Amino acid sequence: AYLEEIRKGAGRDVTHVCLVAPLDVVHERLQRRGRDHGAWELRRDEECCAVHAGEAFATHVRANRDIDAIVNEILNIVR
């Protein structure tokens, strides 16, 4: 519901992409940020990854690859 409110509130068509990665990659990246293991992100990681895998968060872009591949995919989507 919240995501749809944001989309509608933009007042124009919005291309929404969701960067997704396997949970182990999410854990690794969060730990590299230097956060402690009690951080909000780590407490909600599984739930958020599951929600982001849903259709409401389409179009999915795999984020567990090099940045150039991610950028090129997003550019191809929005063009």
Side-chain angles (χ1 to χ4, degrees):
Y2 178 71
L3 179 59
E4 197 56 39
E5 287 180 38
I6 292 171
R7 287 180 181 161
K8 289 179 182 176
R12 60 185 175 150
D13 285 338
V14 173
T15 301
H16 174 239
V17 298
C18 182
L19 299 176
V20 294
L23 193 54
D24 60 323
V25 172
V26 172
H27 285 167
E28 176 188 329
R29 290 181 181 175
L30 288 171
Q31 290 174 350
R32 277 191 294 179
R33 290 182 185 176
R35 306 257 186 178
D36 71 35
H37 296 305
W40 178 88
E41 297 95 336
L42 287 172
R43 289 193 312 267
R44 304 243 355 248
D45 56 1
E46 288 185 47
E47 176 187 350
C48 291
C49 285
V51 169
H52 290 156
E55 289 183 23
F57 284 88
T59 300
H60 296 115
V61 174
R62 287 186 312 105
N64 57 331
R65 54 199 173 135
D66 70 81
I67 190 70
D68 290 334
I70 296 168
V71 169
N72 286 330
E73 183 173 349
I74 292 171
L75 288 173
N76 286 329
I77 291 168
V78 299
R79 288 185 180 155

